Amino acid sequence: MTFGKGHHLHLIDGSAYIFRAYHALPPLTRKSDGLPVGAVAGFCNILWNELSRSNGSNGDKAATHLAVVFDHSSRTFRNAIYSDYKANRPEPPEDLRPQFPLTREATRAFNVACLETEGFEADDIIATLARRAVAAGGSCTIISSDKDLMQLVGPGIDMFDPMKSRTIGPDEVIEKFGVPPDRVIDVQSLAGDSVDNVPGAPGIGLKTAALLIQEYGDLDTLLARAGEIRQPKRRDTLIENADRIRISRELVTLQDDTPVDATLEDLEIRLPEADKVMEFLAKMEFRTLTKRVADKLGIAPPSLPETSQLQVTPREEETQSNEEPLPFDHASYVRIRDSATLDRWIARIREVGHVAVDTETTSLDEMQAALVGISLAVDPGQAAYIPLGHTTGGGDLFGATALAPDQLPLADVLAALKPVLEDPAVLKIGQNMKYDWKIFARNGIRITPFDDTMLMSYAMQAGLNGHGMDELADRYLGHQCIPIKSLLGSGKSQITFDKVALDDAVKYAAEDADVTLRLWQLFKPQLHRAGVTTVYETLERPLVPVLAEMEMAGIKVDREVLRGMSNVFAQKLVQLEEEIQSIAGEPFNVGSPKQLGEILFDRMQVPGGERGKTGAYGTGADVLEDVTTLEDSHPQGARLAARVLDWRQIAKLKSTYTDALQQAINPDTGRVHTCYSIAGANTGRLASTDPNLQNIPVRTEEGRRIREAFVAPAGRVLVSLDYSQIELRILAHIADIPELRRAFEEGIDIHALTASEMFNVPLDQMTPEIRRKAKAINFGVIYGISGFGLARNLRIPRAEAQGFIDRYFERFPGIRTYMSDTVKFAQSNGHVQTLFGRKIHTSEINAKGPGAGFAKRAAINAPIQGTAADVIRRAMIRMPAAIAGLDAKMLLQVHDELLFEVAETDVPRLIPVAKEVMESAARPAVALKVHLAVEAGQGPTWAAAH
DNA sequence: GTTATCACG
DNA sequence: GACGTACGTGATAACA
């Protein structure tokens, strides 16, 4: 029968649907082997719904014809127009990939036409068939919610969103784009699309684009009359970018004459062949659907074994009751000592598609560590260790060591593993993968793709517990890992892993891989349920290679500068020490707070000494500063306190910085390589260790000079880019404070503005003193302000501080609302979250006692600090691609600052590019109501760049 | 190993 | 009504 009037074609956007089903549905796996089939299940369901509805043929829009349309591959004719089209599409998740071929198989099993055309997107085929259907006198419904298809909506064509069960007609399109369907292309060409990487006009979003099209009617008219636009910025953008906009139009316009090797008549709905569809559904182990389909077809469902069913990986409590966990058996671990065995393991890894990997080395410092062995696990309880660099116990007369016998050559093993470790189809699983990533990178292997159980735990549990392997194994697997100390010993007699006896090494190392694999199996489905898949996949995991590269790059430190400073400090310390002891009248250890407190408050009888909970006097800088003000009543005490403060400052600079940093210079690279912990801080901030390069002095002139030792090599420069007031900007957005937002938009000094609002002082009469108070309050707010805390910070009476806070809340009531809403949210949910969905647990929030106060303030601070942390993470993740063409390296992150080392000639190109990445980092996930501003500095040293 | 102190954002 | 408070980190030296 010829397709025509009365016929209704349904076109399912298969590729788009798989992604949506994957993200929207719980992660189902096939029980017999754990194959992920969640998206396939969702897909089969809508397919079957389509078929069964059409046969009931009661609905007005019931389909008479049906097809599923897929993208053939990621490269299409659009890449010829614009090579970067869809270039920043992330790789599909690992457990989705095997489901692509299965959905095509499902389509054929249901006897539904399965269409794809090389070089074209599914959208083009859909456009072609929809237009043909209307031309033939029939109608068409597109089963998709993709906005790119909305340009097709019109007489005879509508859309249906299967996830939301809602029809999309011209009204819904206007709601989305602000223009009717026939102008959607114009709006998309202007606004561009960051997901598909359609350029559009910079600075013009959906709103502005719609406004312009509404005013000028269509894109060609708009471009022709661009000169008439009143706003100078928009006018220039449109004139300058006319070509980009025209290219964008070519990209977003769907092609409705795509070659399709099927006629409309071919798409007529037929019932599936019973045996074919049953075979497929049984293979997938979809029990419910198998039964539904069998009922409808009037046949008996094939019997599925009881154990065989879809399973949403059970909750923890069910795991314990339902399934006996496989015990850990160290004896079953394999030591790989010949290439045939290694090849069998590699084959098994490829069969399964994933492998837990762990490395053993001679050092925790990846830049110094030599690879000693590699462990692998593919199935729980089945793990292997490949010793590579173990040495013989004794060593000869000269302490030299020889390689232990019976080990595969390192180079051979790496060569055999490299294809697997770099294979995009094999998922590598690690615990703290950044470590192993660096070890392998130094051996010429770049691990991809990978999962990291430490980061999964962090995404789900930040604030509840630590994320180290031993703790996770104990908590989730009820297993106590072999302590590394039992192999290496501790203290002076500690040995390195290459000296560990092979039998012990196998047990320890293979256990690590086994534990990691089991944790991964447990965490993978939980991630989705906890609602943190996106956080994990966009903010945690992609950071690993970025940080690894930064750490490996290191920063050049001039040892001579530090040595010189250390010498000067040493002399000063001797002088100060003598002076202090002469004031005190007896020798004592100036570095001992206990002795100092006793001298000051007991022997010298300085008033105001307070003992802490350990019984010792407090002698912190704030206490000593108070003592220095007693010049009149107790001049000796005041002098002593002042000298001790000087001594402390210099002792700190010497021991923590000028001495320690010299030690930290890597002898091979001449540079300092810090290590960032991704899962260290609960809020999402990074932490820097070994050494900590996030607390290099800057606030005092003396301290800042240490930054002169951080240098760029000849011909290169250090460039520092830092977010200006990022936390206050985020507060202005989250709490939605119009005055603050406006101040940031207009570039007004935010602390001065706060002062002006609070103390009724006009901006042009602002004094530094009033501004200082307002600044303290602004920071206090971010920290969960209290009268006591502010009073102490400003050294004013508590009542006065409370008065300031009251006035502040009166002036900015939104802040108080934010604070109380946040605390309430934490109390009922046990966590707070950032704008990007990062969850930070607040386990003490409902405790009584002083703990609750801490928890409340932490809860108020966490979304602000955490959102800022997310923003710079996003910037860092995008940075390598953005600066790829430049001779520039990102070296350090200091919470709101990124430090780069750049070839002199590339500085003018780096700054605008990196700045743009940072300023736009929140988008498109979050549209901040306050823009982010980034300030740049450059110079031969970090001191000069800041 | 814990405590006090102080460096950073 | 009293309690004890600014948020988040890491390194060092002293001391138990």
Side-chain angles (χ1 to χ4, degrees):
Chain A
M1 199 193 338
T2 316
F3 185 96
K5 197 165 161 39
H7 286 154
H8 190 60
L9 170 64
H10 276 197
L11 294 170
I12 297 174
D13 183 359
S15 298
Y17 182 76
I18 301 171
F19 276 94
R20 290 199 70 195
Y22 173 79
H23 289 292
L25 298 174
L28 301 169
T29 51
R30 184 162 72 181
K31 185 154 188 188
S32 56
D33 61 355
L35 179 74
V37 289
V40 183
F43 178 80
C44 288
N45 270 313
I46 66 152
L47 208 53
W48 180 243
N49 287 344
E50 280 292 324
L51 286 171
S52 44
R53 244 189 308 159
S54 71
N55 281 325
S57 73
N58 48 353
D60 46 359
K61 286 275 189 159
T64 54
H65 295 67
L66 175 65
V68 182
V69 187
F70 290 102
D71 291 327
H72 181 84
S73 68
S74 56
R75 285 201 70 82
T76 65
F77 71 91
R78 288 184 177 83
N79 294 104
I81 300 172
Y82 185 67
S83 59
D84 285 344
Y85 179 68
K86 293 201 174 179
N88 48 21
R89 273 284 165 95
E91 287 292 303
E94 208 48 45
D95 56 338
L96 176 56
R97 233 174 265 177
Q99 304 192 62
F100 290 124
L102 288 174
T103 44
R104 286 174 172 77
E105 204 181 313
T107 311
R108 285 187 282 268
F110 276 96
N111 208 9
V112 173
C114 178
L115 304 176
E116 52 191 291
T117 302
E118 186 174 359
F120 294 89
E121 292 182 49
D123 292 1
D124 298 309
I125 303 173
I126 291 173
T128 303
L129 289 171
R131 297 260 190 255
R132 278 199 213 161
V134 173
S139 59
C140 176
T141 295
I142 300 161
I143 315 290
S144 172
S145 59
D146 188 345
K147 61 177 178 5
D148 297 342
L149 287 163
M150 290 186 182
Q151 57 182 267
L152 298 172
V153 170
I157 303 178
D158 62 5
M159 292 172 64
F160 181 77
D161 179 344
M163 308 294 292
K164 291 188 183 150
S165 275
R166 103 185 175 139
T167 300
I168 299 166
D171 291 345
E172 287 74 19
V173 175
I174 293 174
E175 187 187 311
K176 170 84 190 171
F177 282 101
V179 293
D182 58 340
R183 296 272 73 89
V184 162
I185 292 174
D186 295 349
V187 168
Q188 286 187 293
S189 315
L190 285 171
D193 185 331
S194 57
V195 177
D196 291 348
N197 218 16
V198 173
I204 296 201
L206 221 50
K207 289 267 166 61
T208 315
L211 226 62
L212 288 167
I213 295 299
Q214 280 162 19
E215 191 174 340
Y216 289 85
D218 62 59
L219 186 60
D220 288 319
T221 314
L222 172 67
L223 290 179
R225 293 170 51 196
E228 302 170 19
I229 297 173
R230 286 175 295 278
Q231 298 88 339
K233 214 171 168 187
R234 276 183 207 172
R235 184 174 59 227
D236 297 348
T237 311
L238 286 187
I239 294 172
E240 277 167 30
N241 292 287
D243 287 344
R244 271 175 64 159
I245 297 168
R246 291 201 179 88
I247 288 177
S248 300
R249 174 156 63 180
E250 282 189 65
L251 294 177
V252 299
T253 305
L254 298 180
Q255 189 161 329
D256 57 12
D257 56 354
T258 311
V260 179
D261 48 357
T263 64
L264 289 174
E265 288 73 26
D266 295 339
L267 309 182
E268 192 176 349
I269 291 183
R270 297 150 293 184
L271 269 185
E273 291 167 32
D275 50 344
K276 257 192 174 168
V277 70
M278 282 299 133
E279 186 193 343
F280 178 78
L281 292 174
K283 185 173 93 179
M284 291 292 104
E285 300 170 14
F286 298 160
R287 288 176 77 80
T288 319
L289 190 59
T290 306
K291 197 165 171 302
R292 276 174 63 201
V293 175
D295 282 354
K296 187 83 176 182
L297 297 178
I299 56 170
S303 63
L304 282 171
E306 263 319 296
T307 54
S308 151
Q309 60 181 356
L310 268 196
Q311 81 172 20
V312 179
T313 306
R315 296 173 185 285
E316 299 93 288
E317 57 268 25
E318 290 164 347
T319 320
Q320 278 160 12
S321 59
N322 281 0
E323 271 174 70
E324 197 59 32
L326 186 69
F328 281 83
D329 176 11
H330 292 125
S332 72
Y333 295 144
V334 174
R335 168 178 163 195
I336 297 179
R337 52 178 102 199
D338 58 82
S339 55
T341 312
L342 180 61
D343 290 344
R344 277 202 303 280
W345 275 81
I346 291 174
R348 176 66 186 149
I349 290 167
R350 292 197 170 283
E351 211 175 295
V352 177
H354 61 245
V355 59
V357 187
D358 186 40
T359 53
E360 303 303 337
T361 67
T362 51
S363 168
L364 283 175
D365 175 0
E366 306 93 324
M367 290 303 292
Q368 312 246 2
L371 187 54
V372 172
I374 299 169
S375 43
L376 307 168
V378 281
D379 301 295
Q382 293 182 31
Y385 180 61
I386 316 166
L388 300 167
H390 285 262
T391 49
T392 49
D396 62 17
L397 210 59
F398 306 99
T401 48
L403 219 51
D406 221 12
Q407 301 182 87
L408 281 168
L410 177 74
D412 294 4
V413 171
L414 290 176
L417 284 176
K418 184 177 161 88
V420 181
L421 294 177
E422 295 183 343
D423 187 338
V426 178
L427 179 71
K428 275 64 67 177
I429 302 155
Q431 161 73 17
N432 187 14
M433 190 56 112
K434 179 156 65 67
Y435 183 89
D436 307 280
W437 198 96
K438 286 166 77 176
I439 297 295
F440 279 116
R442 286 184 51 225
N443 284 282
I445 294 174
R446 292 180 61 95
I447 292 192
T448 181
F450 63 85
D451 259 334
D452 188 328
T453 47
M454 182 182 81
L455 299 185
M456 290 172 141
S457 169
Y458 180 60
M460 293 189 288
Q461 305 278 329
L464 288 181
N465 50 257
H467 314 285
M469 191 173 71
D470 291 0
E471 182 175 348
L472 295 179
D474 186 29
R475 178 180 292 271
Y476 296 103
L477 307 173
H479 175 72
Q480 281 74 45
C481 293
I482 302 171
I484 186 68
K485 271 190 192 165
S486 71
L487 302 185
L488 303 184
S490 64
K492 217 178 150 207
S493 57
Q494 194 167 0
I495 57 169
T496 46
F497 202 88
D498 56 312
K499 311 272 196 319
V500 171
L502 270 170
D503 286 347
D504 294 336
V506 170
K507 293 189 182 94
Y508 172 86
E511 180 190 75
D512 277 5
D514 190 7
V515 165
T516 303
L517 182 77
R518 296 186 200 214
L519 287 173
W520 178 75
Q521 291 189 335
L522 195 65
F523 288 166
K524 190 79 186 165
Q526 287 180 2
L527 210 54
H528 193 276
R529 236 186 14 240
V532 291
T533 310
T534 305
V535 169
Y536 170 71
E537 286 178 358
T538 63
L539 297 173
E540 318 286 1
R541 193 173 57 186
L543 205 55
V544 169
V546 177
L547 289 177
E549 297 283 8
M550 290 168 67
E551 294 169 13
M552 291 197 294
I555 183 163
K556 187 175 176 194
V557 171
D558 188 329
R559 187 191 300 275
E560 292 317 310
V561 171
L562 293 176
R563 204 201 308 265
M565 293 176 85
S566 277
N567 290 339
V568 174
F569 289 153
Q571 289 179 17
K572 279 194 183 167
L573 284 176
V574 172
Q575 277 174 20
L576 282 167
E577 214 162 315
E578 283 170 6
E579 201 177 338
I580 287 165
Q581 292 180 347
S582 89
I583 300 171
E586 63 177 288
F588 72 102
N589 185 349
V590 183
S592 163
K594 185 168 169 271
Q595 291 178 36
L596 174 66
E598 282 159 12
I599 297 266
L600 208 53
F601 297 113
D602 287 342
R603 202 182 121 86
M604 295 175 69
Q605 287 293 303
V606 173
E610 284 180 47
R611 292 180 189 274
K613 51 178 173 258
T614 53
Y617 288 111
T619 65
D622 48 345
V623 176
L624 294 186
E625 271 162 30
D626 286 345
V627 174
T628 60
T629 63
L630 303 177
E631 189 63 46
D632 297 334
S633 63
H634 207 306
Q636 291 291 86
R639 270 185 66 214
L640 186 93
R643 297 295 87 176
V644 171
L645 282 170
D646 291 342
W647 185 92
R648 286 238 182 109
Q649 194 199 356
I650 293 167
K652 178 80 172 181
L653 294 178
K654 181 170 186 290
S655 69
T656 310
Y657 300 104
T658 56
D659 286 354
L661 281 172
Q662 293 183 62
Q663 297 295 309
I665 298 173
N666 182 301
D668 300 326
T669 65
R671 301 170 70 103
V672 172
H673 306 266
T674 186
C675 178
Y676 288 101
S677 36
I678 311 179
N682 289 334
T683 52
R685 272 198 181 176
L686 302 179
S688 161
T689 61
D690 306 302
N692 182 353
L693 294 187
Q694 288 182 324
N695 71 346
I696 303 302
V698 72
R699 289 174 186 171
T700 66
E701 182 52 41
E702 287 247 81
R704 192 154 47 234
R705 295 205 49 215
I706 290 175
R707 296 193 175 213
E708 291 170 7
F710 289 79
V711 297
R716 306 181 72 83
V717 204
L718 293 179
V719 173
S720 162
L721 294 162
D722 70 295
Y723 284 107
S724 160
Q725 307 284 8
I726 187 170
E727 293 193 347
L728 275 174
R729 285 171 198 261
I730 285 165
L731 175 71
H733 168 91
I734 297 183
D736 201 4
I737 311 299
E739 295 86 349
L740 297 185
R741 281 171 50 195
R742 191 156 9 95
F744 281 126
E745 288 324 295
E746 293 170 8
I748 297 173
D749 175 343
I750 197 69
H751 302 310
L753 174 110
T754 309
S756 161
E757 292 275 351
M758 281 189 54
F759 302 111
N760 295 318
V761 179
L763 278 177
D764 51 13
Q765 292 171 29
M766 189 54 53
T767 69
E769 186 49 29
I770 300 177
R771 183 180 179 278
R772 187 180 73 88
K773 288 182 176 163
K775 184 176 176 180
I777 297 170
N778 275 334
F779 277 104
V781 163
I782 292 174
Y783 298 150
I785 200 160
S786 75
F788 188 95
L790 184 65
R792 209 178 58 164
N793 189 279
L794 285 176
R795 296 167 185 272
I796 56 176
R798 198 172 153 178
E800 193 183 340
Q802 191 56 53
F804 287 175
I805 295 171
D806 293 343
R807 199 138 21 129
Y808 187 90
F809 283 156
E810 230 168 81
R811 202 59 207 81
F812 307 111
I815 304 268
R816 179 161 27 204
T817 313
Y818 162 73
M819 292 173 73
S820 61
D821 285 356
T822 305
V823 169
K824 269 185 233 154
F825 183 93
Q827 283 168 336
S828 50
N829 295 286
H831 71 263
V832 291
Q833 52 190 15
T834 67
L835 290 181
F836 299 91
R838 173 187 302 284
K839 291 180 163 65
I840 299 124
H841 292 87
T842 53
S843 47
E844 293 293 299
I845 195 86
N846 289 317
K848 45 191 178 112
F854 281 109
K856 279 184 191 172
R857 291 191 297 273
I860 289 164
N861 173 260
I864 302 167
Q865 188 182 115
T867 299
D870 290 347
V871 167
I872 198 165
R873 279 183 182 225
R874 290 168 64 91
M876 293 171 73
I877 289 164
R878 292 177 186 174
M879 198 61 77
I883 65 172
L886 304 176
D887 185 359
K889 281 182 293 191
M890 183 160 59
L891 302 186
L892 301 179
Q893 187 250 44
V894 192
H895 310 308
D896 64 358
E897 171 189 5
L898 293 176
L899 188 72
F900 296 82
E901 183 187 295
V902 194
E904 265 166 21
T905 48
D906 275 354
V907 173
R909 289 200 283 160
L910 173 93
I911 291 179
V913 170
K915 204 173 151 187
E916 172 60 22
V917 170
M918 290 174 74
E919 290 182 342
S920 66
R923 299 193 290 266
V926 169
L928 289 177
K929 296 175 214 153
V930 180
H931 80 275
L932 297 176
V934 168
E935 291 166 357
Q938 53 169 301
T941 72
W942 197 1
H946 204 271

